[in-house]
Amino acid sequence: MNVSSERSVSLWMATVPEWHAEPLAANERADVVVVGSGIAGLSIAYELCRQGQSVIVLDRGPLGRGMTARTSAHLASALDDFYHELIGMRGLDEAGHYFHSQVAALERVEEIQRSEKIDCDFQRLDAYLFAASSADISLLEKEIDACQKLGFSGVTWEVMPGSAEAPQHRCVRFPNQARFHPLKYLAGLIRCIQRDGGRLYAETPVVSVAEKGGETIVQTQHGNEVHARAAVIATNSPINDWIAIHTKQAPYRTYVIAGRARRGSVNDALYWDTLDPYHYVRLQPGDADDDWLIVGGEDHKTGQADDQSERILRLTEWAKRHFPTMRDPEYVWSGQVVEPVDYVAHVGRNPGNENVFVVTGDSGEGLSNGVAGSLILRDLILGRENAWASAYAPNRISIKAAGEYISENLTMAANLAKHITGGELSTLDDLKPGYGALIRRGTAKLAAYRDDDGELHLRSASCTHAGCVVHWNAFEKCWDCPCHGSHFSVDGEPLNAPAFKPLANAQE
Ligand SMILES: Cc1cc2nc3c(=O)[nH]c(=O)nc-3n(C[C@H](O)[C@H](O)[C@H](O)COP(=O)(O)OP(=O)(O)OC[C@H]3O[C@@H](n4cnc5c(N)ncnc54)[C@H](O)[C@@H]3O)c2cc1C
Ligand code: FES
C-alpha cells in the first residue's frame, strides 16, 4: 500500500496499467538494494544494472505508483526556484554543477528512451516563464542574466506565444526542455532492469536499514532481509532518517487538472508563471483531434489547508482564462513535493553511513533530480568521482538558507503544541459519514474517520515518524503529517514516507 491508495487518480495512472510484481518472500543478496521504485529508484537500478551490478528493488506499494505517478512531468533544466536565487544562495560554482547535472539528466532520459526503444511520448520543446504582473519583469531580467552566467545558451526574451505584444505578456524562453509520459517511461525502465537481471518486488514495506560488518541489511515488514554491499533509499522522503535531512526540507501539497483542448489550439510547450505558488502547464498527446492540457498549482504546506475544492476551482478558472480552448477537467489529482531550503535535492551518502545512500528533496524538479541522482549515485557506489556530487551532498549546511531553515522548522514546533490543545470536534457524534477530524480523549489526540456506512475508524493522531499531529485531508481522504510529509490511510496504514509504521489503533 502506498499513495496509489489515495482517492484521486492521475491521467498517467488512468492510462498505464499497474505492473505485476510479487512481494519479497525470502532472504536475498545483491550488490545493491534500492528501496523505492519511483523515477529515482528505477533510474538508479537501471544505471547499476547497465554496469553489471546485481540489483534488487523493493517497494511498499505497486511498482512506480508513488509521487512519480502524480507528477505533471515537465522535464526541465530551467530551475523553478530561479537560478539567480540559487547563485545567491550557493554561489556560481555550485549553481553551475547543478545546472550541468540537470542538462545531463534530460539528455540521459532522451538517450535511454531512444536506445531502449521506450515509447513514452518524449518530446524536446521550449519552456516559457511568464511574469504574472509587470512588477515581475525585473525577476525575469535577473533570471536571463543568471542563465547567461551559467552558460545556459539561448535563454531570451519572447512574447508569450498566442498573445498580442504587451509588457505583461513578455516572457523568457528556455530552449531544449522536454516532456514525457512518466509511467510509460518507468514501464520501459522496468523491462530493461528485468532484462539485465534486476529483481523487483512490490508490496514489500521496508522497516529498517542498517550497516553491519561491511554490508547493508534491509529488513522488510514481513521479516525477510536483503543483504547488499550498498543500499539506496529512494523513498521520496527518507525512511532511514529521523531529523538530519528532514529539517532541511519541507513537504507541500500541489494540485493538477487535465482537460482536453483541440489539437493546435495551444502551443506545445512548457509554461510557468512567477506567482508564489506558481502555475505549471503542459500538453500531453491525446486521441483523435484533442490533446490533454495539464495545469497545476495552488500549492500549500502539507496539512495546512482545508479548502481543496476552492483551490481546484481557482485552478480551473485560471486555466480556462489563459487557455480558453480547454474543456472541463476529466482528471483532478494532488501530490506532494518536498522542498529543500536551499533549492537543491539531497543526493549522496546518508549522513553517518558508509554505504547507505539517499535521494530526496525533489522540489518541483524531482524527475530530473531523480535522474541526475541516478548518475551521481552510480558513480559514488562504484567508487568513481562525480563533479556534481558536492552540490547535492546531503550533509551540506547552507548558511544563507538559515532563514528558510528556521521558518520551515517552526512548523514542527507549532505542530507538537497541538498535542495539548482541544480537538476539532467535542463529540464523535458530530462526525458525519465520509469525514475525518481530530478529537481529544483524555490526554490523547485521536484521528477519527467515519466511513460512508457509518463505521468509525479511530487511530492515534501522533505520526509514527517523529510524533507530530496528523491533519485530515478531505480531498484525498487520508491523514497528512504537516512536519515531514507522511500520509496515512483512514485505518492508519502508512501511505507515504518517511513513516513506515501505522498510526496506533485507538478503537474503543
Ligand atoms: C503534482 C506534482 C507535479 C510535479 N511536477 C513535476 C514536474 O513537472 N517536473 C519534475 O521534474 N518534477 C515534478 N514533480 C516532482 C516529481 O514528480 C517527484 O519529485 C518525483 O516523481 C519523485 O520521485 P521519487 O522516485 O523520489 O519518489 P516516488 O515516485 O514517490 O517513489 C518513491 C517510492 O518509494 C516507496 N516507498 C516509500 N516508503 C517505502 C518503504 N518503507 N518501503 C518500501 N518502499 C517505500 C513508495 O511506495 C514509492 O513507490 C511533481 C510532483 C507532483 C506531486
Ligand atoms: S512525517 Fe515526521 S513527524 Fe510526521
Side-chain angles (χ1 to χ4, degrees):
M1 207 176 191
N2 70 356
V3 291
S4 60
S5 299
E6 294 182 11
R7 195 195 57 86
S8 72
V9 172
S10 70
L11 171 65
W12 321 119
M13 292 156 83
T15 48
V16 169
E18 275 181 20
W19 304 282
H20 178 75
E22 295 293 331
L24 180 73
N27 294 343
E28 294 200 16
R29 260 180 200 284
D31 291 328
V32 182
V33 55
V34 178
V35 185
S37 65
I39 186 83
L42 291 178
S43 298
I44 292 157
Y46 173 83
E47 297 297 345
L48 290 169
C49 283
R50 297 309 296 149
Q51 299 292 318
Q53 299 285 298
S54 67
V55 178
I56 289 177
V57 179
L58 306 174
D59 201 290
R60 67 165 304 116
L63 297 180
R65 279 321 213 237
M67 287 306 163
T68 307
R70 294 177 167 269
T71 184
S72 63
H74 298 54
L75 288 172
S77 55
L79 176 59
D80 60 352
D81 288 313
F82 302 128
Y83 279 116
H84 64 267
E85 292 282 351
L86 181 60
I87 293 171
M89 180 77 81
R90 305 280 307 273
L92 191 56
D93 284 352
E94 296 285 48
H97 290 321
Y98 180 78
F99 165 63
H100 290 295
S101 70
Q102 296 292 304
V103 173
L106 266 58
E107 285 171 353
R108 190 68 181 137
V109 173
E110 184 170 27
E111 185 188 331
I112 290 173
Q113 59 88 33
R114 184 174 23 80
S115 62
E116 300 286 8
K117 298 188 175 39
I118 301 174
D119 185 4
C120 62
D121 309 320
F122 180 91
Q123 179 72 46
R124 285 281 187 181
L125 31 67
D126 291 336
Y128 296 95
L129 171 65
F130 55 99
S133 72
S134 42
D136 283 353
I137 293 284
S138 65
L139 207 139
L140 303 190
E141 275 161 2
K142 282 195 226 165
E143 193 57 7
I144 292 180
D145 186 45
C147 287
Q148 279 167 358
K149 286 188 185 136
L150 291 170
F152 191 161
S153 61
V155 178
T156 53
W157 285 112
E158 283 258 343
V159 174
M160 235 346 239
S163 69
E165 181 148 16
Q168 68 271 29
H169 289 136
R170 282 175 82 195
C171 62
V172 180
R173 173 179 156 269
F174 299 88
N176 223 12
Q177 309 298 289
R179 62 159 160 76
F180 67 173
H181 188 310
L183 296 191
K184 289 185 183 174
Y185 182 68
L186 293 195
L189 289 185
I190 290 171
R191 169 175 55 81
C192 297
I193 292 166
Q194 286 174 330
R195 174 201 63 198
D196 293 344
R199 289 162 277 169
L200 299 127
Y201 297 103
E203 309 299 340
T204 303
V206 167
V207 294
S208 102
V209 182
E211 280 187 302
K212 199 170 166 193
E215 63 176 6
T216 60
I217 304 162
V218 162
Q219 200 166 46
T220 73
Q221 190 184 311
H222 308 300
N224 298 309
E225 289 181 350
V226 176
H227 290 235
R229 195 164 44 77
V232 176
I233 309 306
T235 50
N236 196 229
S237 186
I239 54 166
N240 56 326
D241 177 272
W242 258 251
I243 288 298
I245 294 177
H246 292 295
T247 56
K248 298 192 283 187
Q249 55 190 34
Y252 285 75
R253 274 274 181 192
T254 178
Y255 300 84
V256 186
I257 56 175
R260 291 171 201 267
R262 206 179 58 258
R263 183 157 306 131
S265 64
V266 177
N267 187 42
D268 193 2
L270 310 181
Y271 303 90
W272 298 273
D273 64 15
T274 51
L275 288 173
D276 184 15
Y278 63 87
H279 296 97
Y280 46 98
V281 181
R282 57 160 286 194
L283 287 173
Q284 168 65 16
D287 43 19
D289 297 333
D290 290 331
D291 286 329
W292 293 103
L293 187 64
I294 301 170
V295 180
E298 290 289 337
D299 308 13
H300 60 80
K301 281 193 88 169
T302 293
Q304 295 194 358
D306 294 311
D307 59 348
Q308 288 96 339
S309 35
E310 284 91 337
R311 286 170 188 271
I312 287 156
L313 202 63
R314 282 200 297 272
L315 198 55
T316 308
E317 283 168 2
W318 183 93
K320 289 192 168 185
R321 199 163 59 247
H322 287 79
F323 302 96
T325 58
M326 184 188 189
R327 300 207 278 283
D328 286 340
E330 289 175 48
Y331 296 96
V332 179
W333 70 93
S334 83
Q336 182 172 277
V337 292
V338 187
E339 294 281 353
V341 294
D342 67 357
Y343 312 134
V344 177
H346 297 100
V347 179
R349 200 163 259 112
N350 188 54
N353 284 122
E354 262 307 298
N355 291 309
V356 179
F357 299 82
V358 284
V359 45
T360 180
D362 47 42
S363 183
E365 317 240 307
L367 299 172
S368 46
N369 281 329
V371 179
S374 73
L375 303 175
I376 294 171
L377 292 189
R378 175 199 63 194
D379 288 351
L380 296 186
I381 289 169
L382 297 178
R384 302 173 185 162
E385 287 293 308
N386 185 292
W388 312 317
S390 65
Y392 290 84
N395 62 357
R396 69 182 184 266
I397 295 170
S398 297
I399 302 296
K400 288 189 179 159
E404 277 290 306
Y405 179 87
I406 290 165
S407 127
E408 292 294 7
N409 283 293
L410 285 176
T411 302
M412 187 160 180
N415 180 286
L416 288 171
K418 287 192 175 176
H419 279 292
I420 52 169
T421 58
E424 291 161 342
L425 295 178
S426 46
T427 156
L428 284 169
D429 297 340
D430 295 341
L431 191 59
K432 291 190 229 135
Y435 284 81
L438 296 176
I439 187 145
R440 172 154 295 288
R441 188 165 72 188
T443 54
K445 211 152 203 186
L446 304 184
Y449 170 74
R450 194 181 294 284
D451 64 28
D452 291 338
D453 297 327
E455 196 189 327
L456 198 58
H457 303 246
L458 268 184
R459 298 290 178 275
S460 162
S462 189
C463 173
T464 53
H465 174 239
C468 286
V469 176
V470 296
H471 184 90
W472 175 242
N473 182 330
F475 178 69
E476 294 294 358
K477 292 210 184 290
C478 67
W479 297 99
D480 285 355
C481 182
C483 288
H484 316 110
S486 297
H487 308 164
F488 299 88
S489 74
V490 294
D491 284 320
E493 284 305 311
L495 301 176
N496 199 53
F500 51 82
K501 291 188 201 145
L503 297 176
N505 196 339
Q507 214 71 31
E508 288 168 318

